[in-house]
Amino acid sequence: MALSARELTQNKSSSIIDFYKNVRARTMEIVAPLEIEDYVIQTAEFMSPPRWHIGHTSWFFETVLQAHKPGFRVYSDDFLFYFNSYYEGFGARIERPKRGTKSRPTVRETVAYRNHIDEEMLKFLDSRQDDDQVRSLVRLGLEHEMQHQELLVYDIKHLLCDQFDAPVKPMPTRTVKVEGMAEIEGGLFWLGFGPHEGESANKLAHSKEFAFDNEKPAHQVFLQDFAIDKALVTNGDYLEFIRDGGYENFRWWFSEGWEVVNRDHWRAPLYWESNEGGWMVREFSGLHPVTEKLQEPVSHVSYFEASAFAKWKGKRLPTEAEWEKAACYSEHTQDFPWGDERPDIAKANLFENSYWSVAPIGSFPEGSTPSGCHQMIGDVWEWTTSDYVPYPGFKSEFDEYNDKWFVNQKVLRGGSYATPQLHIRSTYRNFFHAHERWMTSGFRCAKDL
Ligand SMILES: [Fe+2]
């Protein structure tokens, strides 16, 4: 049974079981077009074989059962070793770059493990669904699984790209022209998730919904007046940077970025290929001349590349507070750029749209902000200049989940075409290292006023 977003996100005990079934089923829908050989290959150190994701997300729920179900017996010590990602607290584990070096557990064994954990979890949930602690742990496990659904899309793209038979739906054709920058007034701004002064009762009810600990607490920050691009930077914009010798000129790059450009011979975003006719972009839908994709947001760029482009353009990247204010504040705070309603396929390009691709600029006029910024939710995660550090007043709600990554990473905002609708929020803080670009990352620029 399909539940509405509102029903699923409310903390109703009756729906947690349906929520569990829905999320677990979608993971298997994503991998369904894979052939058995595809599940075990690791094409780069930063990606994981699909078999690992479907086992690891089950391992996560097995740790819940271990901690909360009296008499629960571990399925297999070998599986605990193979499917633990990075949790020191759960013992020894295989190193990430070696996840593709083993053919066992087999895919069949991994699916059997997954089914076993599901049976145990459903029995457990049936008996403990009124237990707040259990419900919030299971909710975390489902949010974790949705994160891995997005990672599966990145990893399958790296593994197979256009050889993967993705269930792609046609892109909408109606677009509106989007250009220029929105001017946003500065002053004190409540950044982050949770109750704060001046909120309506309706907003306070929303703040009881799920958010990660790293989005809390809401706190005031001071912003100068600033301007932010109404549109994401496009392939067309980025092609100008390349044609102007952007990748050959040290002056646009951070020192660390320039090192990577030279070490890895970067000349374009990941998935761009040069041939005699010019630059081509490889996507799930095939190999296309970039000249047919000029109006689409550039994606698979690192923080280094986004920053170099911004400097070349005479602009800069926004901070996460600037991004969040532009995305969900006009006269008062709202949950999303368009208002308080959760995303649907007319407002943002998220996983449920099934485009398996970015959408042209101006494809989602219903999702724009009152100030005219488009596609802030969906399409690409947007790089910000902000370091991924705890907000003032941060309290860790789960060991080793978010808090141990608070160093040397940058915050990205807004979700991508691979993010499930139920998973995204305007306050959501994603984070990656400055050189990473296998995820769906893009950007828009800002400038001082
Ligand atoms: Fe994980």
Side-chain angles (χ1 to χ4, degrees), residues 56 85 144 148:
H56 166 69
S85 50
H144 170 255
H148 279 274

Side-chain angles (χ1 to χ4, degrees), residues 316-328:
R316 60 174 174 81
L317 298 179
T319 66
E320 65 173 318
E322 287 172 335
W323 187 95
E324 191 170 313
K325 182 159 190 186
C328 51

Side-chain angles (χ1 to χ4, degrees), residues 52 56 60 85-87 144 148 401:
W52 184 83
H56 166 69
F60 195 97
S85 50
Y86 55 68
Y87 295 86
H144 170 255
H148 279 274
Y401 199 92

Side-chain angles (χ1 to χ4, degrees), residues 50-62:
R51 178 257 326 249
W52 184 83
H53 286 289
I54 63 175
H56 166 69
T57 46
S58 304
W59 169 87
F60 195 97
F61 285 110
E62 188 171 23

